[in-house]
Amino acid sequence: MGKSRSAPDTLILFSTLALLAIGVVMVYSASAVNAFHDFGDSYYYLKRQVVFALLGLAGMYATMRIDYHVWKTTAPAVLIACFALLVIVLIPGVGVVRGGARSWLGIGSFGIQPSEFMKLAMVMFLAKRLSENHSQITRFGTGLLPPLALVGAAFGLIMLQPDLGTGAVLVGASLIVIYAAGARIAHLAGLALAGAAGFVGLILAAPYRLKRITAFLDPWQDPLGAGYQAIQSLYAIGPGRLVGLGLGMSRQKYNYLPEPQTDFIFSIIAEELGFIGGAAGLLLFLLLVWRGMRTAIAAPDTFGSLLAVGITGMLAVQVIINIGVVIGLLPVTGITLPLISAGGSSLTLILTAIGILLNISRYAR
């Protein structure tokens, strides 16, 4: 174990807090109209965002001060607990259906999303297992297959909800950890082909997913149905041009763009703050990912390195998917923009995970 520095990586901390501040402002701007219409309170989503941001910051502060080696010991128990929650949430009458997916546990408006916690739990466990069996990862049967089977089991439970977006982030982050641990490219390429075939099967098994794919290829074929979200998102981004219409001046948030404060909040950012505002947000994400990967490279041990890679990869994959959907490069999946979108479980989870990343940075060489 290396000697701890007195302070964590300041650029990780700065970019996280800057993105969080942007998120609080934009959640209010994007949601005020819908919040007043639905709840009679323009500040409804803003107040929730502030509460969850404070909870997340408390979690980040705590994990930033806890030696990250603790998670190597607790990773198996945390993973088992998350698997149990993924099973429990599928029980009718127990799991809460929101947005067509049985993904929530809770009462009323308060709830947790077990699949969000599974992402971090899986990254922790893979970092532990692959750091202890580092030399075996090049063997397909004994090294690569067991962790992939575990990831597949978690993905399968998440797809039963169904929640393709969160499942894709889980798989993406897990594969980044496995690759960083030394898995062979040939093995991963073969599995990627098998995964692509399975993905096609998942799409064909659910008509709504096939509609999303066809809408992604040409949303104007069904402008009032499957292509509606993609079209309305582009209608928001286009008028923003270089500097935007001005903060709070979005037109698409007036019941045209669905979920403007969550999945499509980047559309509102582009509409109100223009290319400059959107680019500034992306630069902050790039700064966060760069410093996260630098922390992984400079970590004093394999576990810390893989854990930092997993947390950074989890963040990066989710940003790529969300932005890709918003600008029309990917089919609609229903996934939030980390640190910026309105959210409970997702926001507190990512801030807590960044706290672990900050702790690893304190030991970096």
Side-chain angles (χ1 to χ4, degrees):
M1 185 190 306
K3 185 178 180 181
S4 174
R5 292 195 327 215
S6 59
D9 190 300
T10 54
L11 289 178
I12 292 178
L13 188 60
F14 164 75
S15 54
T16 299
L17 295 178
L19 287 165
L20 189 63
I22 291 171
V24 169
V25 173
M26 292 310 303
V27 162
Y28 172 65
S29 179
S31 69
V33 174
N34 287 342
F36 183 78
H37 178 268
D38 295 338
F39 305 102
D41 180 5
S42 298
Y43 299 98
Y44 177 81
Y45 289 106
L46 172 64
K47 289 186 285 190
R48 285 175 58 85
Q49 187 75 351
V50 170
V51 168
F52 286 118
L54 291 175
L55 288 173
L57 287 172
M60 185 177 78
Y61 179 76
T63 52
M64 183 175 66
R65 296 181 63 84
I66 297 171
D67 187 333
Y68 71 89
H69 294 91
V70 168
W71 308 115
K72 189 173 185 179
T73 305
T74 59
V78 172
L79 185 69
I80 291 170
C82 287
F83 265 112
L85 289 174
L86 284 182
V87 173
I88 292 170
V89 79
L90 295 174
I91 301 174
V94 177
V96 179
V97 178
R98 295 182 186 175
R102 193 180 298 277
S103 305
W104 298 82
L105 291 173
I107 300 173
S109 61
F110 178 79
I112 63 168
Q113 197 171 1
S115 56
E116 289 289 337
F117 295 95
M118 173 54 85
K119 293 187 297 187
L120 181 58
M122 184 62 71
V123 163
M124 283 181 179
F125 184 81
L126 289 176
K128 167 188 166 59
R129 189 184 190 283
L130 296 176
S131 65
E132 293 174 343
N133 301 277
H134 188 66
S135 61
Q136 293 187 8
I137 191 63
T138 55
R139 302 172 186 170
F140 182 80
T142 58
L144 182 59
L145 202 55
L148 283 178
L150 200 63
V151 174
F155 178 73
L157 287 172
I158 291 172
M159 286 307 301
L160 289 175
Q161 298 177 4
D163 186 353
L164 180 59
T166 303
V169 175
L170 170 78
V171 172
S174 299
L175 289 177
I176 289 172
V177 175
I178 291 170
Y179 173 73
R184 289 183 177 179
I185 294 292
H187 290 164
L188 292 177
L191 288 167
L193 291 175
F199 184 72
V200 171
L202 286 173
I203 291 171
L204 296 177
Y208 78 91
R209 293 191 194 116
L210 184 58
K211 286 184 178 179
R212 285 183 175 181
I213 295 296
T214 56
F216 154 67
L217 296 173
D218 185 4
W220 278 270
Q221 284 186 353
D222 188 9
L224 298 179
Y228 182 80
Q229 290 175 303
I231 291 172
Q232 296 304 319
S233 177
L234 294 176
Y235 280 164
I237 294 171
R241 299 191 179 185
L242 184 63
V243 296
L245 302 178
L247 184 63
M249 301 302 292
S250 165
R251 296 189 289 256
Q252 289 301 102
K253 66 185 178 183
Y254 285 88
N255 291 322
Y256 292 106
L257 181 64
E259 306 296 338
Q261 73 278 1
T262 54
D263 301 353
F264 287 91
I265 195 167
F266 189 78
S267 305
I268 304 300
I269 293 175
E271 185 182 14
E272 295 189 349
L273 305 181
F275 175 82
I276 292 176
L282 291 179
L283 286 174
L284 286 170
F285 279 121
L286 284 173
L287 176 62
L288 181 53
V289 170
W290 167 55
R291 297 304 291 188
M293 288 301 180
R294 186 181 182 279
T295 296
I297 293 170
D301 57 14
T302 305
F303 172 70
S305 180
L306 293 179
L307 184 56
V309 164
I311 291 171
T312 307
M314 180 175 68
L315 177 77
V317 170
Q318 188 161 336
V319 171
I320 290 170
I321 293 176
N322 178 272
I323 300 296
V325 167
V326 164
I327 63 177
L329 292 179
L330 293 173
V332 175
T333 56
I335 195 169
T336 58
L337 186 61
L339 299 171
I340 292 182
S341 293
S345 298
S346 59
L347 181 60
T348 53
L349 181 281
I350 199 65
L351 284 169
T352 301
I354 289 173
I356 297 173
L357 186 63
L358 286 167
N359 182 264
I360 298 171
S361 74
R362 298 180 66 182
Y363 295 88
R365 294 186 297 268

